[in-house]
Amino acid sequence: MINKAFSFCLTLALLFISVLANAQQQNTEKGAVNEFFRSNDKIYVIVGVLVIIFLGIVLFLINLDRKIGKLEERDRHGS
Amino acid sequence: MARHWWKALAILLLLYVIIAGFTVKIPIIGTNGQSSRGLFFHVPMWICMYTMYTISIIYSLLYLNKYDLKKDVIASSAAGVGTFFGVLGFATGTLWATYTWGGTLTDDPKQMCTAIAILIYMAYLVLRMSVHDLDKRARISAVFNIFAFALLIPLTYIIPRMVDSLHPGSATTPGFASKDTDGSMKTVLYPAFIGWTLLSVWIFSLVVRYRKLQLKNIFK
């Protein structure tokens, strides 16, 4: 289980590095979404950063909640 | 799944708070500038702390009533999570003060008294670690918890109001507090209170369930 998760993260990291290596020049793509993120001195980029961090913490909490729930379930039936 | 609705509510409210907290229009007053948006993240930390410490004192009193160790587990978990949120609130406050009050640790009464209050609760957590017998630990720490809560309220609520303080909301009467905050900020502030409090209750419930599993041989 841990091995699977670890190899998944490693693959993702390698993928990101290879993508980043190709995207060295400044992102100048147009479009409503890009314009929005660049408006107001790019503060919305940081809003996005906070949303990502918050969702990461929430996923961690949900996972922990389910793991403890499984332990409680096993405890109720097992012994 | 139906009993998890409040966790989903917490996630949705906090997503709203994070996004709206940066996009809502706020009045720019004095040296605060845009940093007034810290209200949506700094103040809820204290609401979480008070909620947790209130749960803690209630369960400490219930423990002293019947000497049921489960109550002690709940009381100590709440005090631990409350201290965690207190430290977060203090850290965000000092960062904010560095750029608005002109100093990280000023001689402001609210900041000093809050530091003392958090240290008293840290003493509670250290005291618990120093006693190994479970029943003795529960009794001593329950009594200490009553002392800690009896100091928390005057230190953080009463003293800062009696003397001049840089902190907003201090040195005024609580009756006018609702007029201090702009209406547009309230649309984010109140969901922030509910969302963060629900999140702290979620973390607290996880700690309690973990501790109960840890001590299941004693409870049976």
Side-chain angles (χ1 to χ4, degrees):
Chain A
M1 199 62 188
I2 294 163
N3 268 333
K4 256 187 196 169
F6 180 71
S7 57
F8 176 74
C9 288
L10 194 70
T11 319
L12 211 64
L14 287 173
L15 198 74
F16 263 116
I17 289 168
S18 62
V19 168
L20 282 175
N22 281 326
Q24 295 240 327
Q25 74 273 36
Q26 179 106 39
N27 172 15
T28 50
E29 276 175 53
K30 294 268 186 292
V33 178
N34 283 315
E35 291 302 314
F36 171 73
F37 274 109
R38 282 197 203 97
S39 62
N40 275 331
D41 278 342
K42 299 184 184 172
I43 187 68
Y44 300 116
V45 177
I46 301 308
V47 177
V49 167
L50 279 175
V51 167
I52 291 168
I53 292 175
F54 175 68
L55 286 179
I57 292 171
V58 161
L59 283 178
F60 172 79
L61 279 179
I62 290 172
N63 208 12
L64 194 64
D65 200 324
R66 288 178 61 191
K67 276 180 189 166
I68 292 176
K70 267 181 201 158
L71 270 182
E72 283 170 341
E73 200 65 22
R74 199 172 70 188
D75 195 43
R76 231 170 276 143
H77 297 297
S79 58
Chain B
M1 211 56 212
R3 63 203 169 86
H4 294 305
W5 63 271
W6 57 277
K7 295 168 189 171
L9 180 70
I11 296 165
L12 287 176
L13 280 175
L14 287 179
L15 274 177
Y16 165 73
V17 166
I18 289 172
I19 296 167
F22 284 94
T23 45
V24 74
K25 228 177 157 42
I26 58 160
I28 308 291
I29 299 167
T31 53
N32 258 326
Q34 296 284 347
S35 80
S36 308
R37 298 183 191 278
L39 191 77
F40 311 132
F41 306 101
H42 167 74
V43 184
M45 296 297 117
W46 301 112
I47 304 283
C48 293
M49 188 193 78
Y50 285 123
T51 312
M52 286 299 127
Y53 285 167
T54 309
I55 293 172
S56 185
I57 180 81
I58 289 169
Y59 275 90
S60 274
L61 289 169
L62 286 175
Y63 170 78
L64 288 174
N65 191 26
K66 289 267 170 68
Y67 298 118
D68 177 10
L69 267 180
K70 275 179 192 164
K71 304 274 192 292
D72 176 62
V73 167
I74 296 170
S76 66
S77 306
V81 177
T83 308
F84 170 70
F85 277 98
V87 169
L88 284 182
F90 193 77
T92 51
T94 49
L95 179 66
W96 202 348
T98 308
Y99 297 101
T100 50
W101 292 356
T104 304
L105 284 172
T106 55
D107 53 0
D108 183 72
K110 193 144 191 168
Q111 207 175 22
M112 291 297 108
C113 291
T114 308
I116 296 167
I118 294 174
L119 283 174
I120 290 169
Y121 272 94
M122 285 180 172
Y124 166 85
L125 297 172
V126 173
L127 176 75
R128 288 186 65 82
M129 281 190 261
S130 65
V131 185
H132 282 287
D133 183 76
L134 282 179
D135 291 295
K136 202 182 267 179
R137 171 198 288 171
R139 283 193 198 201
I140 292 172
S141 58
V143 174
F144 187 92
N145 199 9
I146 295 169
F147 161 78
F149 195 79
L151 277 177
L152 173 77
I153 299 306
L155 276 173
T156 58
Y157 253 79
I158 300 173
I159 293 174
R161 288 192 198 285
M162 294 174 74
V163 288
D164 272 336
S165 168
L166 288 165
H167 195 285
S170 300
T172 57
T173 37
F176 292 116
S178 62
K179 297 203 161 107
D180 288 346
T181 313
D182 190 66
S184 64
M185 295 183 88
K186 280 181 191 162
T187 59
V188 185
L189 186 61
Y190 294 147
F193 284 166
I194 301 167
W196 286 108
T197 307
L198 285 176
L199 189 81
S200 72
V201 171
W202 187 7
I203 295 172
F204 155 70
S205 75
L206 286 176
V207 176
V208 169
R209 285 161 67 192
Y210 166 71
R211 293 252 177 95
K212 277 187 177 168
L213 277 174
Q214 212 178 19
L215 296 170
K216 63 179 180 187
N217 293 327
I218 294 161
F219 290 147
K220 266 171 194 167

